[in-house]
Amino acid sequence: VRRALMRVGRQTFFRAFSTAQELHVVEEVIRAATLLAQKRVGALIVFEREAALDEFIEEGTRLDATVSKELLYAIFIPSYENPMHDGAVIVRNYRVLQAGAFLPLSANPKLDRALGTRHRAAIGITEETDAVVVVVSEERGAISLCFGGNIVPALDAGSLRKALLGLFTPRPRGKKGARSSILPVAPDRPSAPSSSTPPEAAAG
């Protein structure tokens, strides 16, 4: 875990935190993940970055809503009357773009066999794109972070915040460190036409 967190600081994923709005989105995700973990409710929260996720996922329910702890918690409450809980939330441009999306599962044979479908889906989308995914396990009530095909397990709120800050803040280039926004890096775009072979679904 320590080595993985050290790698976080060496990578540039999102751009520098520059507005209260950006920090608000990340803090709401951390608050939601912490509450969901306490309640042992499974969750997948995907931050879209440069790469559009449309062609890699099976689209869920379009929301275009403000990111909040309360909304994220409500989305993942398991119920037959809540189809959105069985899938992933996609965050794009500071907002919850959709919920109940399905992600491709990782086929990496080296993954720990104890990892369930939800974690394999989180790893899978980060193998295909530059997305960053927060995962909550319903079995263990644990929070993990996936990026670049890697998984950092068993994070508390402080560790998750540190990891996200490390991922989202670039290292300075030369004497002039670049500053710009973290979340609105992938412009709103229409969904790609559905493929004849949809990706595997990510469930519990």
Side-chain angles (χ1 to χ4, degrees):
V1 173
R2 182 177 299 174
R3 286 195 298 269
L5 286 174
M6 287 175 64
R7 287 198 298 271
V8 166
R10 300 192 189 110
Q11 309 220 16
T12 299
F13 285 82
F14 296 148
R15 301 173 183 181
F17 288 95
S18 58
T19 70
Q21 184 180 21
E22 294 163 350
L23 289 170
H24 172 77
V25 170
V26 173
E27 288 298 328
E28 289 299 298
V29 169
I30 293 170
R31 292 175 64 208
T34 302
L35 178 59
L36 289 163
Q38 291 172 350
K39 301 292 185 179
R40 291 183 179 261
V41 175
L44 274 170
I45 304 170
V46 183
F47 289 96
E48 184 182 72
R49 291 183 53 239
E50 299 278 353
L53 302 182
D54 302 307
E55 65 180 285
F56 298 97
I57 67 175
E58 182 179 333
E59 186 173 296
T61 301
R62 287 266 171 165
L63 295 179
D64 189 23
T66 301
V67 178
S68 71
K69 179 195 73 174
E70 292 77 14
L71 174 62
L72 294 172
Y73 182 76
I75 285 172
F76 289 110
I77 292 298
S79 168
Y80 289 112
E81 298 178 355
N82 177 22
M84 294 187 297
H85 85 275
D86 192 15
V89 159
I90 307 298
V91 176
R92 175 192 290 173
N93 291 344
Y94 304 112
R95 299 178 68 78
V96 175
L97 175 69
Q98 57 179 283
F102 291 94
L103 312 178
L105 301 183
S106 174
N108 184 351
K110 296 182 180 180
L111 291 180
D112 186 342
R113 293 183 179 181
L115 292 175
T117 306
R118 181 174 286 113
H119 291 81
R120 290 180 180 274
I123 295 170
I125 194 64
T126 65
E127 289 173 338
E128 299 288 345
T129 73
D130 57 357
V132 174
V133 186
V134 175
V135 193
V136 180
S137 166
E138 60 185 307
E139 292 83 8
R140 297 182 298 278
I143 302 171
S144 301
L145 187 67
C146 297
F147 56 93
N150 300 302
I151 182 168
V152 183
L155 298 174
D156 58 19
S159 297
L160 179 60
R161 182 178 293 105
K162 178 180 178 181
L164 289 173
L165 286 169
L167 285 168
F168 297 169
T169 305
R171 298 172 68 84
R173 297 180 180 179
K175 296 182 178 180
K176 296 182 179 180
R179 277 186 70 84
S180 50
S181 174
I182 58 165
L183 293 179
V185 292
D188 287 330
R189 54 183 79 77
S191 299
S194 57
S195 157
S196 58
T197 305
E200 296 183 69

